[in-house]
Amino acid sequence: MSKYYVSHDVSRCIGCRACEAHCKVKNETPAGSNYCKIMTVGPRMSRGIPRFDFVYLACFHCEKPWCVDACPTGAMQRRDKDGIVFVNDDLCVGCKACITACPWGVPQWNSTTGKVGKCNLCMDRIDQGLAPACVSKCVTDALTFTTAGEASEARRQQFAEQLLSKQEQQG
Amino acid sequence: MKKSIYSMCGMCTVRCHIRAEVEDNRVTWMEGNQHILGGALCPRGAAGIALRDDTERPQGPLIREGARGEGKWRQVSWEEALDHVAGKLGAIKEKYGPQSIVVSSRGGPWQGLYKTFVHAIGSPNYTNHDSTCGRNTHHASLSVNGVARKGLQYDYKNARHLVLFGRNLFAALLLTETRAVMEMLQKGGRLTYVDVRVTETSSKATRFFHVRPGTDYALALAMVHQVIRENAYDAAFVDKYVKDFSALCTFVEPYTPAWAAKECGVDEDSIINFVREINEDRPKVIFHPGWNLSRYNDSFYASRMLHILNGLMGNVEMEGGLFFPKGPGDCGVKSIRTVDCKKPDIERADGCGTTYPQFEKGPGLAHLLFPAMKTGKPYPVKAWMAVRHDPFTCMPDPEQQKEYFDHCDLLVSIDTHYSEFGWYADVILPESMFLERDNHIIVQKGLKPRLAVRRKIVEPRFDTKAAWDIFRQLAVRMGVEEYFPYETIEEFWKWQLEPTGFTMKDFEDKGFIELTDRPVFYDRDELEGRFKTPSGKIEIISEVLEKAGLPSLKPYQSPAAPPAGKFRLVYGRVAVHTHSHTQNNPLLHQMMDENNLWINTEQAGKLGISDGDMVEVTAANGYQGRLRAFVTDFIHPEAVFTVHGFGRQVPRQTRTCGRGVSDQRLMAGLLDVWDQAGGAISLCESFVTVKPAQ
């Protein structure tokens, strides 16, 4: 896994798909190609109320990416310094081997260029010290650009605070 | 060279503050203003760049060549188009009098410009889209609080409980509101939501009343009943600021939770427990009085009860409650100048304030202007200029509207895109889209008021103009340019800012000018008179209503159940489209290209409809549309639901033309079904049949 991690707080997500829209604008993807996508679950009864739930899916940037292994031309690459998995456009011949290989359906077919594209965490922005487009403009701050370590720390802190505030309430 | 410019979005009428980066006359990045929104921008905002790139919008002024709606246009110069419009307006003024000219707009902070124009040429008939939106809520607010719908605002962030009747705010996306409500929820605040179906907002609720369509008023009445019965109200506040409370107590006596549970199809205990919750949470409980509450024949009265419930909570002028929006004067700052012209002292053609004393004159009611076109009474209406306003998608039954509009000698559309009305009009004056135009400075009232301005980010791609320029040039031709004291936007801004001591430089830091650094509250003990009712208090009995022969407290009447084989048509919105404006937007069209029809699982089963099947929906007037069924348990069996804005018919919008079904075409006869007390059209009072498509 890349050192970065986009965490998605389901309790904050309202399924507005701003992330998808900003991703499409940033990466100029054609119809049907979504580097990130909000998957809707429901509507179903949950905690006594009919609800939709929303799950953000982009790319996991695997430690040992199936897509990189499958790519015959070396277009699909993993960046050494931070583990971002990205496509070098010049080398992609559009064979779709990566699409077949990825267990999560991450690589996206671009019908305009005849090549594959995928989430590279907006690495041009990361290199300028900025967050990916989807995270930068998320409407409810449901998305956070972080690292696995930081995300764990934040989650534990949140849990600890909840625990104490519950104890306080109980007397 | 890369430039960063603060401005205001224009993809919907929220007008969120944005910052854009531009290089070589192209927008390379757009985000929400960090100082207000932390960068947040909704999907519609994201599609601003796609709108600029879209070639399927008017590329220059167009004059109709063929018959109305035939689609034969001649692209002309601005000189010719403006001369043509001014010439026609002049002839109409001469023949029928200036009052026969109507200017309509969607409304909003820049409407002073259009209003000034129509008043200056001698007509009182400015109108807006509100008769299919917030008019019931507005009139309800006037009758209870004595102030406009926006005369009280809400501090969601610090509230402990928010109650929403059908207000799907997590799809509406007024970003400051969206974010404040999310913060409230994250802090453990409660959200009670009332609707006939599951929505993005019900998905975040802590309590959901899944009601029978048309019974909002019943539920609100039972809430008032129970609040009074359990003494779950602020007695001191009520004593001080609520007039005729005892009349309310007597009136709601029969409306028990048991009664409402049966009427609305909800659980009695749920109503009782809800009231216990708000008793714990008050005064920081906000009852949102509705926005697009132009739905049922008693929506006005439902809204009145919601306004009254706020009074009972005693939540006015406090953190986590309602507050009177503050302006420059409240911060010890002089306000800006803005264009204005006194309204001519002539009766409005829609009868608001005269024939209908219960309706505020203000922008009147658009649908009540139609009879004057046909009957010539009180005088003929012969010209209609619609600015960023599409009567055909706004109001029901465009075919019936066309019969009215055919009595007009001039129909003009001023818009950034082709509207359905524009396509039928005689002239289209294309406005530059928001990234391509400046607007004049506005005041944004609130706890922390500010001055705001929209700036041009890129040059217009096509031969389009900003509204400030279009109206000034028309004014010059009509001989009323004295009301438009500027020639360039820079002169306009300078003239506006002169009394304040600020300059345009003061916008550069943050994109707006903050008039205070801390929230301004009035003294809660001195609120009398802030309510602009005759008594200066919150009034249960309204003199205006009573004088017009309308009850202040209207006994509940149960809504009709759908006739056999029919469903009540309800409509709503989604996060990825703005009403009927964006269906052809290249990006948003990708994200949602047509609407579907929600139908209850059991009902669908009876009709042999499975999820995803194509179905045929038919209105009473014979209009028929085909769309895909979305079969779900979570819509009331009496209703079917669809998203507004689809079924468009402008051939030049090739992506969206003919896709999906137009809800307003299905609303047969509703142009004549409107709330006698609230004024708004009752858009959910029609029934349709549904069957599997052949």
Side-chain angles (χ1 to χ4, degrees):
Chain A
M1 192 166 164
S2 84
K3 70 180 210 190
Y4 307 114
Y5 170 58
V6 175
S7 84
H8 178 233
D9 183 344
V10 176
S11 78
R12 281 183 171 268
C13 182
I14 56 173
C16 75
R17 300 167 68 202
C19 48
E20 284 181 37
H22 295 305
C23 175
K24 290 192 78 70
V25 172
K26 166 72 173 62
N27 295 299
E28 296 178 346
T29 52
S33 170
N34 297 288
Y35 293 177
C36 72
K37 200 159 173 48
I38 290 292
M39 305 311 293
T40 302
V41 180
R44 56 188 178 143
M45 284 306 275
S46 152
R47 288 160 284 141
I49 288 176
R51 296 177 202 273
F52 290 107
D53 281 299
F54 308 103
V55 180
Y56 166 89
L57 289 175
C59 174
F60 298 116
H61 298 275
C62 310
E63 193 62 34
K64 251 191 81 52
W66 280 260
C67 59
V68 173
D69 287 348
C71 179
T73 64
M76 190 68 81
Q77 301 176 16
R78 185 170 183 276
R79 193 156 83 157
D80 284 342
K81 69 170 177 180
D82 53 13
I84 290 177
V85 178
F86 69 101
V87 182
N88 180 336
D89 266 359
D90 296 340
L91 298 177
C92 180
V93 294
C95 73
K96 307 190 184 81
C98 55
I99 295 178
T100 311
C102 176
W104 298 285
V106 166
Q108 297 289 299
W109 180 245
N110 185 326
S111 53
T112 314
T113 60
K115 293 171 194 267
V116 160
K118 69 176 286 298
C119 166
N120 63 10
L121 289 172
C122 296
M123 59 185 190
D124 57 322
R125 286 182 56 82
I126 291 179
D127 291 344
Q128 296 171 63
L130 302 166
C134 56
V135 175
S136 304
K137 301 191 249 188
C138 173
V139 160
T140 53
D141 301 336
L143 294 177
T144 314
F145 182 58
T146 178
T147 64
E150 278 170 17
S152 159
E153 187 74 13
R155 182 67 63 87
R156 284 174 168 164
Q157 183 68 35
Q158 191 190 5
F159 176 70
E161 280 170 22
Q162 270 171 0
L163 198 70
L164 286 183
S165 94
K166 249 186 206 155
Q167 281 176 2
E168 265 165 41
Q169 276 170 14
Q170 284 161 359
Chain B
M1 205 188 77
K2 200 178 217 174
K3 268 199 306 185
S4 168
I5 304 172
Y6 284 112
S7 185
M8 293 168 80
C9 186
M11 287 302 290
C12 78
T13 44
V14 177
R15 305 173 192 88
C16 289
H17 285 258
I18 55 168
R19 186 185 67 85
E21 290 170 14
V22 60
E23 221 172 337
D24 300 329
N25 204 32
R26 277 195 68 82
V27 181
T28 54
W29 179 259
M30 202 172 121
E31 64 178 24
N33 186 319
Q34 291 289 347
H35 305 286
I36 297 174
L37 297 169
L41 186 66
C42 84
R44 308 190 294 265
I49 297 172
L51 172 61
R52 173 145 202 272
D53 291 343
D54 188 9
T55 54
E56 294 187 351
R57 53 182 173 120
Q59 301 189 4
L62 299 173
I63 294 179
R64 181 171 59 80
E65 291 271 270
R68 277 184 181 159
E70 198 186 337
K72 285 191 185 156
W73 299 97
R74 183 164 59 93
Q75 187 163 329
V76 300
S77 68
W78 276 96
E79 280 301 303
E80 182 177 346
L82 293 166
D83 285 348
H84 177 84
V85 170
K88 288 267 184 187
L89 288 176
I92 290 165
K93 192 174 163 182
E94 187 83 1
K95 189 163 172 195
Y96 301 101
Q99 67 277 11
S100 62
I101 298 167
V102 172
V103 171
S104 73
S105 87
R106 230 195 109 75
W110 291 294
Q111 61 184 319
L113 195 65
Y114 334 128
K115 225 189 273 185
T116 299
F117 175 77
V118 74
H119 292 172
I121 60 175
S123 171
N125 293 312
Y126 169 74
T127 192
N128 63 19
H129 85 293
D130 220 28
S131 75
T132 49
C133 191
R135 218 60 193 163
N136 281 334
T137 309
H138 175 71
H139 280 130
S141 182
L142 283 175
S143 74
V144 175
N145 300 319
V147 297
R149 174 166 71 86
K150 292 178 183 165
L152 281 163
Q153 294 182 357
Y154 318 96
D155 179 21
Y156 300 109
K157 195 173 165 180
N158 296 305
R160 295 182 61 180
H161 202 140
L162 172 62
V163 188
L164 300 170
F165 275 65
R167 176 114 213 275
N168 186 9
L169 61 74
F170 284 139
L173 300 182
L174 287 84
L175 290 192
T176 48
E177 175 190 81
T178 312
R179 289 166 65 78
V181 173
M182 183 53 70
E183 287 321 303
M184 178 203 87
L185 289 171
Q186 294 290 325
K187 285 194 288 186
R190 293 193 263 220
L191 172 63
T192 293
Y193 186 72
V194 183
D195 210 332
V196 301
R197 63 173 189 119
V198 57
T199 67
E200 293 82 348
T201 310
S202 80
S203 300
K204 299 295 181 208
T206 48
R207 184 181 295 281
F208 178 40
F209 288 106
H210 192 178
V211 294
R212 183 185 161 221
T215 63
D216 290 357
Y217 184 36
L219 186 61
L221 285 170
M223 286 175 176
V224 176
H225 171 104
Q226 195 63 9
V227 161
I228 292 172
R229 188 187 161 142
E230 296 237 338
N231 286 319
Y233 61 93
D234 183 335
F237 186 90
V238 167
D239 197 43
K240 194 162 181 200
Y241 293 125
V242 179
K243 189 168 168 278
D244 300 316
F245 178 59
S246 62
L248 180 70
C249 296
T250 313
F251 173 69
V252 297
E253 221 160 282
Y255 302 118
T256 62
W259 165 82
K262 211 168 149 218
E263 176 62 21
C264 308
V266 301
D267 185 24
E268 179 187 356
D269 285 344
S270 191
I271 302 175
I272 293 168
N273 292 335
F274 163 74
V275 170
R276 291 191 179 141
E277 268 178 21
I278 59 170
N279 199 23
E280 286 167 23
D281 295 339
R282 73 183 168 83
K284 295 189 174 187
V285 178
I286 298 173
F287 283 83
H288 194 285
W291 196 310
N292 179 231
L293 212 62
S294 50
R295 294 193 173 247
Y296 304 103
N297 282 333
D298 59 7
S299 289
F300 167 77
Y301 286 99
S303 181
R304 270 180 55 83
M305 276 305 141
L306 299 174
H307 284 295
I308 287 170
L309 276 159
N310 280 322
L312 299 183
M313 295 298 105
N315 62 8
V316 183
E317 206 58 21
M318 57 176 295
E319 263 196 4
L322 274 57
F323 59 86
F324 292 96
K326 314 302 182 306
D330 298 301
C331 307
V333 179
K334 280 204 171 140
S335 195
I336 53 168
R337 279 192 195 124
T338 193
V339 288
D340 190 23
C341 172
K342 200 173 164 281
K343 185 187 283 197
D345 192 17
I346 304 171
E347 182 190 357
R348 287 188 59 94
D350 54 21
C352 289
T354 49
T355 312
Y356 306 109
Q358 66 273 38
F359 302 144
E360 188 199 38
K361 281 183 187 167
L365 293 163
H367 60 280
L368 295 184
L369 289 163
F370 289 133
M373 291 179 189
K374 201 167 166 183
T375 62
K377 299 217 163 58
Y379 48 78
V381 165
K382 288 290 176 187
W384 190 301
M385 297 174 69
V387 188
R388 222 168 43 80
H389 177 221
D390 187 356
F392 287 175
T393 53
C394 213
M395 290 183 275
D397 221 333
E399 297 309 316
Q400 193 190 345
Q401 288 183 51
K402 283 176 191 172
E403 287 173 25
Y404 287 119
F405 278 120
D406 283 345
H407 293 278
C408 288
D409 294 347
L410 179 69
L411 304 177
V412 180
S413 167
I414 302 178
D415 216 326
T416 57
H417 56 273
Y418 290 108
S419 68
E420 298 284 312
F421 173 82
W423 193 250
Y424 194 74
D426 307 323
V427 182
I428 296 178
L429 301 177
E431 194 184 9
S432 305
M433 51 84 62
F434 73 95
L435 293 166
E436 302 173 329
R437 71 171 191 257
D438 295 298
N439 280 86
H440 58 274
I441 299 162
I442 54 172
V443 174
Q444 292 187 320
K445 289 184 168 187
L447 281 177
K448 290 169 74 176
R450 56 187 172 229
L451 302 183
V453 65
R454 176 181 285 144
R455 304 296 298 263
K456 181 162 69 177
I457 311 287
V458 284
E459 290 304 316
R461 180 164 174 203
F462 302 118
D463 190 15
T464 59
K465 282 187 190 296
W468 62 265
D469 197 9
I470 297 173
F471 277 96
R472 184 181 181 280
Q473 295 209 34
L474 282 173
V476 169
R477 284 166 171 80
M478 300 294 291
V480 293
E481 69 264 40
E482 63 194 278
Y483 296 98
F484 298 83
Y486 57 84
E487 279 186 28
T488 63
I489 192 70
E490 288 77 16
E491 282 176 24
F492 196 173
W493 289 332
K494 197 173 163 214
W495 174 79
Q496 286 195 279
L497 285 176
E498 214 163 61
T500 69
F502 294 116
T503 69
M504 290 309 287
K505 265 204 154 342
D506 295 309
F507 284 100
E508 280 173 15
D509 244 14
K510 294 182 169 176
F512 54 92
I513 298 175
E514 245 169 344
L515 302 179
T516 168
D517 50 9
R518 66 187 63 182
V520 183
F521 281 104
Y522 297 141
D523 183 351
R524 239 172 89 77
D525 294 331
E526 301 288 335
L527 291 181
E528 206 165 313
R530 296 277 178 203
F531 304 100
K532 303 293 178 195
T533 52
S535 64
K537 296 182 180 188
I538 295 169
E539 292 188 346
I540 304 295
I541 304 296
S542 155
E543 212 177 284
V544 172
L545 289 174
E546 301 288 329
K547 269 193 185 158
L550 295 158
S552 299
L553 297 166
K554 189 184 174 193
Y556 180 75
Q557 273 182 304
S558 190
K566 294 199 171 193
F567 298 89
R568 191 181 281 271
L569 177 69
V570 300
Y571 67 92
R573 62 178 306 169
V574 285
V576 296
H577 279 293
T578 304
H579 307 299
S580 65
H581 305 189
T582 56
Q583 278 67 19
N584 201 51
N585 180 286
L587 175 64
L588 298 176
H589 169 76
Q590 270 183 51
M591 298 186 75
M592 179 179 180
D593 59 357
E594 57 188 25
N595 50 358
N596 58 11
L597 189 79
W598 291 40
I599 184 165
N600 179 271
T601 311
E602 211 181 305
Q603 300 282 18
K606 282 187 215 160
L607 294 166
I609 295 166
S610 304
D611 188 38
D613 283 358
M614 288 302 288
V615 294
E616 210 167 76
V617 196
T618 311
N621 61 2
Y623 173 75
Q624 212 166 56
R626 285 160 62 97
L627 69 184
R628 223 167 268 288
F630 174 63
V631 177
T632 170
D633 293 344
F634 306 116
I635 178 163
H636 194 277
E638 286 187 9
V640 289
F641 164 85
T642 196
V643 171
H644 173 67
F646 287 87
R648 299 181 60 77
Q649 298 187 337
V650 176
R652 282 192 192 176
Q653 296 187 323
T654 62
R655 287 176 289 268
T656 197
C657 184
R659 301 294 300 254
V661 168
S662 148
D663 57 332
Q664 73 276 2
R665 284 180 191 274
L666 288 169
M667 294 173 184
L670 288 194
L671 210 46
D672 302 316
V673 180
W674 48 276
D675 193 310
Q676 300 296 314
I681 297 180
S682 308
L683 295 171
C684 294
E685 294 286 3
S686 78
F687 299 98
V688 293
T689 52
V690 180
K691 60 178 186 184
Q694 293 308 307

